[in-house]
Amino acid sequence: EAQVTQNPRYLITVTGKKLTVTCSQNMNHEYMSWYRQDPGLGLRQIYYSMNVEVTDKGDVPEGYKVSRKEKRNFPLILESPSPNQTSLYFCASSLRGTRRAETQYFGPGTRLLVL
Amino acid sequence: SQQGEEDPQALSIQEGENATMNCSYKTSINNLQWYRQNSGRGLVHLILIRSNEREKHSGRLRVTLDTSKKSSSLLITASRAADTASYFCATDELAGNQFYFGTGTSLTVIP
């Protein structure tokens, strides 16, 4: 089944404790992206990747890192989480990205609470 | 920020009625997409309209796009209780690689 998977689905952590949220897709998509969703703000793009070893900042990249060493995986790293990073995070992928009239496929989301 | 806005923020209708939600965006685009989200779950793609199209239909969905006003509308006809969800528009950049989502409309369809 074609899908985007994220792990973990729920995570409670404390300020400053490094964490990684994994994202994997099995559709051979080139474009992958991370979003955070906060009440009243919709989804905001954190980072995106056009292909392996190519990553770029979105609207809200502060406090986050990403890497794209393999086509299928796009982990999101919080080196030193803070309470303002408490949010619902989504990973998404599409075949070739923007300007190509393509849909994005979303993972199920990771709900993060930073205490 | 180039994030768009949706209107209304919340909409409550009776089953069988039509639901209309609007999206405004800020920059020139290639495409506009509408997504649906059920209660904190992942988003599901509904329909895509290109910048050179004015109207598109898919089942009970009708989308219009007015690039001169930088706005789009999503009409759901003959709504059902199962249509209860949040709806988001998403745009890309004309010459960039980012996606921008609107703030969403929460639709409640009362049986």
Side-chain angles (χ1 to χ4, degrees), chain B residues 3 11 14 21 27-28 32 52 56 59 66 79 90 98 107:
Chain B
Q3 187 176 28
L11 180 60
Q14 296 289 134
M21 49 205 88
T27 64
S28 296
L32 185 142
N52 61 356
K56 202 161 183 181
D66 186 336
S79 63
Q98 283 189 240
L107 173 66

Side-chain angles (χ1 to χ4, degrees), chain B residues 19-67:
Chain B
T20 299
M21 49 205 88
N22 305 295
C23 165
S24 61
Y25 57 92
K26 298 182 181 180
T27 64
S28 296
I29 62 171
N30 296 293
N31 309 290
L32 185 142
Q33 304 183 40
W34 285 89
Y35 287 82
R36 167 195 168 120
Q37 182 184 36
N38 286 84
S39 190
R41 296 192 173 184
L43 279 73
V44 175
H45 180 257
L46 293 176
I47 193 167
L48 179 149
I49 186 166
R50 300 173 188 265
S51 59
N52 61 356
E53 296 176 313
R54 292 297 166 257
E55 187 171 316
K56 202 161 183 181
H57 297 255
S58 176
R60 293 184 296 114
L61 305 179
R62 173 179 167 250
V63 171
T64 61
L65 179 64
D66 186 336
T67 52

Side-chain angles (χ1 to χ4, degrees), chain A residues 3 8 15 20 25 41 49 80 88-89 92 95 103-104 107-108 113:
Chain A
Q3 60 182 351
T15 299
T20 299
Q25 49 91 8
L41 297 178
S49 169
S80 182
L88 178 58
Y89 291 86
L95 188 57
T103 184
Q104 291 188 81
L113 172 61

Side-chain angles (χ1 to χ4, degrees), chain A residues 25-101:
Chain A
Q25 49 91 8
N26 62 0
M27 296 170 278
N28 202 35
H29 284 173
E30 292 182 356
Y31 188 95
M32 296 186 74
S33 182
W34 276 102
Y35 296 89
R36 62 177 288 173
Q37 183 177 24
D38 302 290
L41 297 178
L43 279 82
R44 294 178 292 168
Q45 198 168 30
I46 303 171
Y47 269 94
Y48 62 93
S49 169
M50 297 293 293
N51 213 326
V52 176
E53 302 292 1
V54 181
T55 63
D56 230 324
K57 296 178 181 179
D59 264 356
V60 288
E62 295 78 20
Y64 304 95
K65 283 176 58 177
V66 292
S67 68
R68 188 91 181 273
K69 292 182 169 49
E70 305 165 285
K71 199 171 188 178
R72 63 183 294 128
N73 296 324
F74 190 45
L76 179 69
I77 303 156
L78 284 71
E79 293 270 3
S80 182
S82 62
N84 65 12
Q85 292 178 298
T86 291
S87 188
L88 178 58
Y89 291 86
F90 289 102
C91 181
S93 73
S94 65
L95 188 57
R96 289 168 299 174
T98 61
R99 292 178 277 166
R100 303 299 183 102

Side-chain angles (χ1 to χ4, degrees), chain A residues 8-15 17 19 111-115:
Chain A
R9 294 289 313 280
Y10 304 91
L11 181 59
I12 301 174
T13 189
V14 295
T15 299
K17 186 176 181 181
L19 67 91
R111 198 169 288 277
L112 172 65
L113 172 61
V114 184
L115 301 173

